[in-house]
Amino acid sequence: MDEVRIIEIKKSIFEDNDKDADALRAELRKKGVFLLNLMSSPGSGKTTTLIKTINALKNEINIAVMEADIDSDVDAVKIKDATGVQSIQLHTGGMCHLDAEMTRQGLNGLDLSNTDLVILENVGNLVCPAEFDTGASKNCMILSVPEGHDKPLKYPLMFSICDLVLINKMDVAPYFDFDLMKCKEYIKMRNPNAVVIPICAKTGDGIDKFATWLKNNITQQKEGK
Amino acid sequence: MDEVRIIEIKKSIFEDNDKDADALRAELRKKGVFLLNLMSSPGSGKTTTLIKTINALKNEINIAVMEADIDSDVDAVKIKDATGVQSIQLHTGGMCHLDAEMTRQGLNGLDLSNTDLVILENVGNLVCPAEFDTGASKNCMILSVPEGHDKPLKYPLMFSICDLVLINKMDVAPYFDFDLMKCKEYIKMRNPNAVVIPICAKTGDGIDKFATWLKNNITQQKEGK
């Protein structure tokens, strides 16, 4: 297995994270970099989804990945081995989320020249990451079928801040009491503008739709929309 | 559906949570109350596991439940409807965990006379709840099969503080790449003393073992062990 760079993220000293996040967003837009903040519970399939999506897109656009975790470097190594794209591990030192300054520390560890898309895989947690703007161009979350369709009722903030909700592990839906229609209804209740795409990262189903969403949003940012 | 009491938990003002937690633990022991702190990711099956376990135990011991959530009262209502035991909802006001003082605020909302066991269903989160001692007699977590066997590598603190790890949704193991032996090995790496019980809350498999573990631990506390 390849070795990956590990960056120990320091706790941020900025008091006004929202202002800092806006500044980072503007900087990235100027550089032509689209930053996707990907969030979910532990074990919802973030890394597998990323691998499939990156392999579908990497011949068209240049991608880099930042894997945030409290500990371990398993995800960054997995991404590098399976896709070959630039991948670094961010250690949060026990912190349960990333804010804009922490995200900036991670970005400083990447070569951004000629990079169209940076994906930040945030810490697996439906609570705290929703409270801190990372400076991302768009927020995306994965909800997996085994977690249940009631999660938008229980984690309202997370669903309200996400532009895109991927519903993963659709292949195992027959074995769980998961009601996709109800889930979509609850998501719309929290965020009427959220786009919802059911996928199965394992089989690749729906990954093309996620890839198209990404390409369209990257183009729109480049065109200043 | 029954109505349940909802308590809005205030952020705690105590600086030394560990000391406060020890004090709460001593108070509860004196009152003959065993407090179980139950933690997990969102959607791992905490509420279903509790319903099955309470129904298996409620004729032998007196049980009360505190359901902590950022929002909603679906879990407390579910528990009350399905078991009939004393059940209250704690709203954390966006907070991602409970500490000892917040737990105490919840306990004050319960009638503890003649109660042997209080179960605190903590906020669904593998990160922050691990950092705050609630004053519980024992810590228990649920890891569900769809989350993957690598979770002890990624959330070390949670696994290191738990006396008992329930591995739930064993019925769907054939549909996931879940290695139970490896999972047990990773858990022991984090905490050699952790007891691991595979269960399926949906079918009831293994619930008897969890119930026995609870009864033994309650008796040991009562006997001052």
Side-chain angles (χ1 to χ4, degrees), chain A residues 131, chain B residues 7-9 69-71 90-96 102:
Chain A
E131 293 168 24
Chain B
I7 297 178
E8 308 289 336
I9 297 286
D69 243 324
I70 295 167
D71 206 353
L90 312 184
H91 278 178
T92 64
M95 292 283 286
C96 50
M102 295 161 86

Side-chain angles (χ1 to χ4, degrees), chain A residues 41-43 47 69-72 74-75 78 94-96 123-128 131 146-147 150-151 153-156 169 172 175-177 190 202, chain B residues 41-43 47 69-72 74-75 78 94-96 123-128 131 146-147 150-151 153-156 169 172 175-177 190 202:
Chain A
S41 288
T47 311
D69 243 323
I70 296 167
D71 206 352
S72 95
V74 285
D75 288 342
K78 241 192 244 173
M95 292 283 285
C96 50
V123 181
N125 182 338
L126 287 192
V127 187
C128 319
E131 293 168 24
E147 295 170 56
D150 62 343
K151 290 301 155 292
L153 300 179
K154 294 188 174 180
Y155 301 91
K169 306 191 187 177
V172 296
Y175 312 113
F176 291 90
D177 306 322
R190 296 303 181 198
K202 206 172 160 186
Chain B
S41 286
T47 312
D69 243 324
I70 295 167
D71 206 353
S72 96
V74 286
D75 288 342
K78 239 192 246 173
M95 292 283 286
C96 50
V123 182
N125 182 337
L126 287 192
V127 186
C128 319
E131 292 168 25
E147 295 169 56
D150 61 344
K151 289 302 156 291
L153 300 179
K154 293 188 172 181
Y155 302 91
K169 307 191 186 176
V172 296
Y175 313 113
F176 292 90
D177 306 320
R190 296 303 180 198
K202 205 173 162 186

Side-chain angles (χ1 to χ4, degrees), chain A residues 12 32 42 88 94 133 177 214:
Chain A
S12 118
I88 57 172
D133 189 341
D177 306 322
L214 274 170

Side-chain angles (χ1 to χ4, degrees), chain A residues 133-184:
Chain A
D133 189 341
T134 57
S137 309
K138 296 279 175 184
N139 290 319
C140 171
M141 71 165 290
I142 301 180
L143 172 70
S144 66
V145 162
E147 295 170 56
H149 58 254
D150 62 343
K151 290 301 155 292
L153 300 179
K154 294 188 174 180
Y155 301 91
L157 186 62
M158 176 58 78
F159 286 87
S160 72
I161 63 149
C162 278
D163 304 284
L164 174 66
V165 180
L166 301 174
I167 303 185
N168 192 23
K169 306 191 187 177
M170 286 302 295
D171 59 325
V172 296
Y175 312 113
F176 291 90
D177 306 322
F178 186 89
D179 187 329
L180 183 60
M181 291 303 290
K182 236 180 214 169
C183 188
K184 283 182 175 176

